[in-house]
Amino acid sequence: MKATNYKVVALIFALLLFEKSTLAQTTNYTPYVFSSFAGQAEISTVDGTNTDARFYFPQGAALDASGNLYVTEASTVRKITPVGAVTTIAGVPGFFGTNDGPVTAARFNTPNGVVIDSSNNLFVADSLNNTIRKIDTNHVVTTVAGQPLSSPFFRNGTGTNAHFWSPMGLAIDPANNIYVADQNNHCIRMITPNGTVTTAAGTPSSAGSTDGAPLGSKFNAPAGIAVRFNFMFIADTGNHTIRVMAADGSSALRIVAGVAGVPGSSDGFGSAAHFRSPYALAIDQNTNVFVADYGNKLIRKITPAAVVTTIAGSAGVSGALDGPTNNALFNFPTGIAVNNSGTLFIAEYGNCDIRKISSGTVSTWAGLPGVMYSGTNDGVASAARFLGPWGVTAANSGNVYVSDTSNDTIRKVATDGSVTTIAGRAGVQGNSDGTNSTALFRLPYGIAVDAAENIYVADELNATIRKVTPDGVVTTLAGLARSIGSADGTNSTARFSFPTGVGLDSLNNIYVADSGNETIRKVTPDGVVTTIAGKAGFFGSADGTNSTARFNSPWSVVVDTAFSIYVTDRGNATIRKITPGGVVTTFAGLAASGGLVDGVGTNARFSAPTGLAIDKFNNLYVSDSYNLNNTIRKITPDGTVTTLGGVDNGAFGTANGAGRNGCFNQPFAIAIDPNGTLFIADSSNHAIRRAVPFAVALSSQPTTVTLTWPTGSDCLLEHSTALGQNWSPVLDPAETNNSTISVTQPITGQDYYRLRTP
């Protein structure tokens, strides 16, 4: 338990480091091109008609006068026409950020509530950016109120001088005043058409459930809001109630349904009814209020007489079942809208779809329920599925091996992208040795492969080091399953505590980041275990020799050609180096100083780096996973740190592309093959990504391509017809010490050229 707590503390510590860091963001991107290799990145935003479209956790929903439905999701705003045709009108799938601008130039970060004014402009509560955004009729996005990523989180004022904290639901009155459920400030805000922000109800930053005068009242994390005929209804999510007041503040706030602090699912009159985290509201022409009852997975109705009934769903039961309302099932509804005919449209977060309720029948209107990209399937490239892969290693043959951590399996990805499961059984945990699916793991993390393609695995929750032969025969090399400790010894007499990373030297000695013990261990090929650095049970950041050094959640480990060891010291946000004599120094980054800064040695900044790989030139590659930037970094042998990919403005995503155009979501592990191709276990995207040094693609004339390379660097020009595979040298010309190289080649299909160091 101690080690698990350390990991929680380390994560919190890393996030705090990032939030507190005031260091400048890096702007120096070394050119690498990132692409998908195996699995399918989680974010699925596909335009199309009805069930051909795909959504990624839709949240808000609003209807215009023409019957078009507007839906917000992770990084985009979508439009669904009355016939179900879905298009993306603002933002780009997989790209998160704060940018204003037209359509694809704009960026959002988890937009939620959406409303439409009398001129058909859309307004969006951009929740994690703490702003209210406007999308005009030309689909140009501007920020009308709030300051992106601002601190403090509450301030009234005009435009960007005002501050919000996780704004959620929006409502609009006939005068185009916008009302905001400012969730983490526990209050309701109002924005006038000229952008002036005031508090309409609640006590800022003070949670509670006080009725009465609007400005003396208290809410608890309100999320939904709706306005009609001067009535303002609020889904007081944390209190499990629906409350009402006059929109102009002329009448007191009161609870219309539910009981504060008492969750439940019962129907009835007023306080006889109960809700569980009601999330969104809609009002029809007769002032019936419809509730997306998120926690109960129900759609509820409140009449003007305060009578609550359940109109669809089964309390507490998740599903995607269409049909009569009394049989239908939902999965965490978060957005709701109603048209003039009384038809309801529901944005369903848990099923990633849009449902429709009409004439007593529930149907799926857009998207396909439950289509997600995590799973257990073997297959080729994007047909395969992973579930939270946390380890990756590349063999000399070009095969890539993956510890599919949440599936408790070891997977193989061949050079053609075909994925097979070679050991473990998806969804079944255990510690059994055996062959293929008869062997069982319990959260396998770090993974390494030797020249014979034997695989070594840090089996974290079993506290053991396992070996998997190329045929899938699994044995326990060191440690005793479920026996946590810190004992040196041979084979099962040794003890580990939540080991996370393994690395190999040229003699097949295994080095282990024994995270729970805060130590680095060595395991010989015959299973003799010794502690080479750190002291069990003592964490810190001190450099020193052997047991005088201290680590804080060491995560991954690699060994260079001189037998020096490098460690991602996650909790310290540093990269550490251990000489063959056991002398520990800080190689890059500075303990207790997190951030995203390129530089040399301790001038660079990381935030809880996890994965680590090393090439034949002793360059290190780091997946800097917890810094909210989700970046891939490179460290040369002299300690110079540069960024290869990932977005440097607090964003995450799934997009492929070069440099900052490539996006990740918690890339926990990284590997490199002999050709310099990187493989990244993009854990929260449930995919394996691939990266090659910057390449230019040609598919038609002209036949001349020009590439740049740093002056004074020897380099090779290479050609491929399949990005990331089968690179071959181009002899025309062979250049040295030039900053620019041009080559003319016949074009056959799709051709790629790249430059790399020899």
Side-chain angles (χ1 to χ4, degrees), residues 422-425 431-441 466 472 474:
I422 61 173
R425 194 181 320 161
N431 54 51
S432 305
D433 289 337
T435 302
N436 303 129
S437 62
T438 64
L440 298 177
F441 297 85
R466 314 284 292 278
V474 179

Side-chain angles (χ1 to χ4, degrees), residues 29 42-43 109 118 151 187 222 243 260 310 325 369 492 550 576 702 706:
Y29 273 70
E42 191 72 13
I43 293 178
N109 194 350
S118 57
S151 179
C187 62
R243 304 172 76 178
T310 298
T325 52
S492 61
R550 295 290 181 268
R576 311 290 290 281
T706 300

Side-chain angles (χ1 to χ4, degrees), residues 236-237 239-242 257-259 262-268 272-280 291-302 308-320 325 327-334 346 348 350-351 355:
D236 197 4
T237 306
N239 282 322
H240 311 290
T241 56
I242 308 301
V259 179
V262 183
S265 61
S266 56
D267 290 335
H274 293 86
F275 298 87
R276 189 180 301 274
S277 300
Y279 199 90
V291 183
D293 194 359
Y294 178 89
N296 281 321
K297 307 176 182 71
L298 300 174
I299 306 303
R300 316 285 291 277
K301 176 182 177 180
I302 310 174
V308 178
T309 55
T310 298
I311 61 173
S314 180
V317 180
S318 298
T325 52
N327 291 328
L329 296 176
F330 294 85
N331 192 2
F332 297 117
T334 52
I346 295 99
E348 204 174 10
N351 280 326
R355 310 285 288 281

Side-chain angles (χ1 to χ4, degrees), residues 709-714 737-739:
W709 198 253
T711 301
S713 297
D714 292 340
N737 293 329
N738 278 351
S739 59

Side-chain angles (χ1 to χ4, degrees), residues 140-156:
V140 176
V141 178
T142 54
T143 300
V144 298
Q147 185 70 241
L149 308 175
S150 62
S151 179
F153 293 112
F154 178 86
R155 180 189 294 163
N156 286 327

Side-chain angles (χ1 to χ4, degrees), residues 253-406:
L253 177 75
R254 62 183 177 86
I255 295 174
V256 69
V259 179
V262 183
S265 61
S266 56
D267 290 335
F269 170 73
S271 60
H274 293 86
F275 298 87
R276 189 180 301 274
S277 300
Y279 199 90
L281 305 176
I283 306 177
D284 69 11
Q285 289 184 318
N286 299 315
T287 321
N288 295 298
V289 178
F290 297 91
V291 183
D293 194 359
Y294 178 89
N296 281 321
K297 307 176 182 71
L298 300 174
I299 306 303
R300 316 285 291 277
K301 176 182 177 180
I302 310 174
T303 68
V307 176
V308 178
T309 55
T310 298
I311 61 173
S314 180
V317 180
S318 298
L321 185 63
D322 288 335
T325 52
N326 60 340
N327 291 328
L329 296 176
F330 294 85
N331 192 2
F332 297 117
T334 52
I336 190 166
V338 60
N339 68 15
N340 292 337
S341 301
T343 298
L344 293 171
F345 300 89
I346 295 99
E348 204 174 10
Y349 186 88
N351 280 326
C352 290
D353 64 5
I354 310 300
R355 310 285 288 281
K356 179 179 178 180
I357 305 177
S358 179
S359 302
T361 300
V362 178
S363 59
T364 300
W365 191 45
L368 194 60
V371 173
M372 299 300 291
Y373 290 133
S374 58
T376 66
N377 298 5
D378 288 339
V380 179
S382 62
R385 296 291 182 265
F386 297 87
L387 184 61
W390 280 54
V392 62
T393 187
N396 291 336
S397 65
N399 293 321
V400 173
Y401 295 91
V402 179
S403 57
D404 197 5
T405 304
S406 295

